[in-house]
Amino acid sequence: MRPWELVRMALATVRANPLRTVLTMLGVIIGVASVLTLVSIGRGSSEAIAKQYESLGTNLLVVNLMGNGRATQLNYDELMEMESLPGFKAIAPTMTKNNSNVKYDRETETYNVIGTNDRYLEMQQGEVAGGRFLAQADIDFRNHVAVIGSEVATAFFGTSDPLGEKINIDGFVYTVIGKLKSKGSNTSGTSLDSSIYVPLYTLSRDFKLGNIRTTYVEASTSENVARVQTIVERYLQNKFNSTSGYNIFNSSQLISARQSASSTMTSQLVSVAAISLMVGGIGIMNIMLVTVSERTREIGIRKSIGAKRRNILLQFLVEAVLISGMGGLIGFVLGIALSLVWPYLNPSQTTSLSLDVGLYAFLFSVLVGVVFGLYPANKASKLKPIDALRTD
């Protein structure tokens, strides 16, 4: 029997039971669409992180101090001592009070409050949309002033000017002196838009936070990053008399860590989607077994008039592959549509269409049809004509 005749017979069978065919293909459709969509989201996230890295430059180091007590901590002045060393451009120690209750008028929202100095904004390449950022005088005199991110400004003030307004942060009143332009998250994953910035000393005194945990260090040039990192490591080793209790990351390491985490998450989700493809293959096998039972007399008649075993085997195998292939094709188209629509449904995420992965998923769906269609096709081909014709 010629190949096109096998395909024509398979198409006729599919058309005879359209609803059952669609339900059979459902697992394969979901599997292929999921693989294509999830990989597109994963690639989009990785590309967004890479762009973020490019926008921030390659000069930034993040120093985390993890110990407690004087022996393993540094105060603000000790950290700022390094700024005058060769190769250093700026240092911005930070403290963070997470999930603070911020009130304005009758509105109450929860935001992270970051205590820092006047270098922080330039290091994060943020921009002021109105007013000003923190100044050294605000640090020195422990002023109760605050600079708010774009999301905070929108939530409390809408389109009104927030400058000069008073906000209450966990019982302490701060005057808004500046509003930032929308920026997104920094290399540590902190959203600059949904944060409030106050002088470090003021935050430390009001909320008795104690230790500085995170400090941003900017090298004068990208060529100086390694040198500055070495200087910081030696400085901390001398201060703590130990090589533990701190870690230092440069921008490249932070971005690599975030991209690695994103890739791992995507791989795990794709594995789950691949399982649904396998489940779809089992569904195809079950339906094909039912089909063989329903068409036993047809098989008997065909064999009695001369059909060979391989003709019957190929007939049912082509049907299984056709069903899985059609499911894979629909899933491929659906995955493209979801990848294009996803950024509109979730504006915080971007996608990068991965047609090559979609093609592999489609070919895998065809392979699933071959593997799971082989058993019912083989079972049909082994039926004896006399036994098949006796079946009701």
Side-chain angles (χ1 to χ4, degrees):
M1 184 177 289
R2 296 175 179 174
W4 70 267
E5 291 178 337
L6 290 170
V7 174
R8 184 176 55 81
M9 290 176 63
L11 284 172
T13 305
V14 167
R15 282 198 297 267
N17 298 286
L19 181 59
R20 188 166 74 176
T21 303
V22 170
L23 293 175
T24 305
M25 292 188 299
L26 208 53
V28 177
I29 294 173
I30 294 172
V32 174
S34 299
V35 168
L36 182 53
T37 305
L38 291 173
V39 171
S40 296
I41 291 173
R43 285 190 175 180
S45 298
S46 295
E47 290 179 5
I49 292 170
K51 287 180 181 176
Q52 191 180 55
Y53 169 69
E54 292 171 359
S55 70
L56 287 174
T58 56
N59 302 0
L60 207 59
L61 299 173
V62 180
V63 181
N64 292 317
L65 303 178
M66 299 173 290
N68 291 307
R70 180 61 190 161
T72 53
Q73 279 294 321
L74 297 177
N75 60 35
Y76 179 80
D77 292 332
E78 288 171 325
L79 287 164
M80 296 304 292
E81 281 178 359
M82 291 186 285
E83 197 177 51
S84 59
L85 296 175
F88 286 70
K89 181 180 180 182
I91 294 178
T94 63
M95 288 182 172
T96 302
K97 188 174 187 306
N98 295 314
N99 302 318
S100 297
N101 290 318
V102 183
K103 297 180 183 177
Y104 174 75
D105 198 11
R106 296 180 180 177
E107 296 286 333
T108 301
E109 300 286 347
T110 300
Y111 293 109
N112 293 337
V113 180
I114 298 173
T116 186
N117 62 11
D118 55 323
R119 281 80 157 173
Y120 182 86
L121 185 65
E122 185 178 350
M123 293 170 72
Q124 301 295 334
Q125 299 192 5
E127 293 184 65
V128 174
R132 64 174 177 84
F133 195 67
L134 303 173
Q136 185 61 45
D138 298 320
I139 313 292
D140 296 338
F141 293 104
R142 294 168 169 75
N143 292 335
H144 277 77
V145 294
V147 179
I148 57 179
S150 59
E151 289 183 16
V152 182
T154 302
F156 284 133
F157 304 103
T159 55
S160 303
D161 186 2
L163 301 184
E165 298 292 337
K166 309 278 186 192
I167 58 174
N168 187 306
I169 302 176
D170 283 338
F172 292 91
V173 176
Y174 288 77
T175 302
V176 177
I177 60 169
K179 181 178 76 170
L180 302 183
K181 290 183 179 178
S182 179
K183 173 65 178 176
S185 300
N186 64 12
T187 47
S188 300
T190 302
S191 171
L192 302 180
D193 302 335
S194 60
S195 298
I196 298 173
Y197 307 90
V198 302
L200 185 137
Y201 281 147
T202 311
L203 185 76
S204 174
R205 183 182 63 182
D206 285 351
F207 302 105
K208 297 178 173 54
L209 295 183
N211 301 325
I212 295 173
R213 295 294 185 186
T214 303
T215 300
Y216 295 91
V217 178
E218 186 176 15
S220 56
T221 63
S222 57
E223 289 75 20
N224 281 333
V225 169
R227 179 186 176 194
V228 168
Q229 187 166 351
T230 302
I231 292 173
V232 174
E233 286 173 349
R234 289 177 179 171
Y235 180 86
L236 295 177
Q237 285 175 17
N238 290 331
K239 283 286 184 181
F240 300 157
N241 196 27
S242 171
T243 57
S244 61
Y246 61 87
N247 54 47
I248 305 171
F249 299 98
N250 59 44
S251 301
S252 301
Q253 290 170 323
L254 286 171
I255 296 299
S256 297
R258 291 190 64 186
Q259 286 184 322
S260 176
S262 176
S263 298
T264 301
M265 181 65 72
T266 301
S267 299
Q268 291 175 345
L269 291 173
V270 169
S271 299
V272 173
I275 291 173
S276 73
L277 264 174
M278 301 299 290
V279 173
I282 294 172
I284 290 174
M285 184 174 67
N286 289 337
I287 293 300
M288 290 306 298
L289 286 171
V290 172
T291 303
V292 170
S293 298
E294 290 175 347
R295 294 162 60 187
T296 301
R297 284 184 64 80
E298 175 193 328
I299 296 169
I301 293 171
R302 289 198 62 203
K303 279 202 164 185
S304 65
I305 60 176
K308 297 180 179 178
R309 182 187 168 188
R310 69 169 181 275
N311 298 130
I312 303 299
L313 188 142
L314 284 174
Q315 178 186 348
F316 284 91
L317 191 59
V318 167
E319 282 185 25
V321 172
L322 184 67
I323 291 172
S324 64
M326 288 173 63
L329 188 61
I330 295 172
F332 183 77
V333 174
L334 184 61
I336 292 175
L338 286 172
S339 299
L340 296 175
V341 169
W342 186 256
Y344 297 98
L345 300 176
N346 190 346
S348 64
Q349 285 191 322
T350 58
T351 58
S352 176
L353 197 56
S354 306
L355 293 177
D356 52 341
V357 174
L359 181 61
Y360 290 137
F362 168 72
L363 294 175
F364 186 70
S365 71
V366 174
L367 180 63
V368 164
V370 174
V371 172
F372 288 94
L374 201 56
Y375 175 68
N378 187 52
K379 183 178 180 181
S381 68
K382 286 183 176 179
L383 286 174
K384 295 180 180 178
I386 189 65
D387 295 334
L389 289 170
R390 284 176 179 169
T391 302
D392 293 331

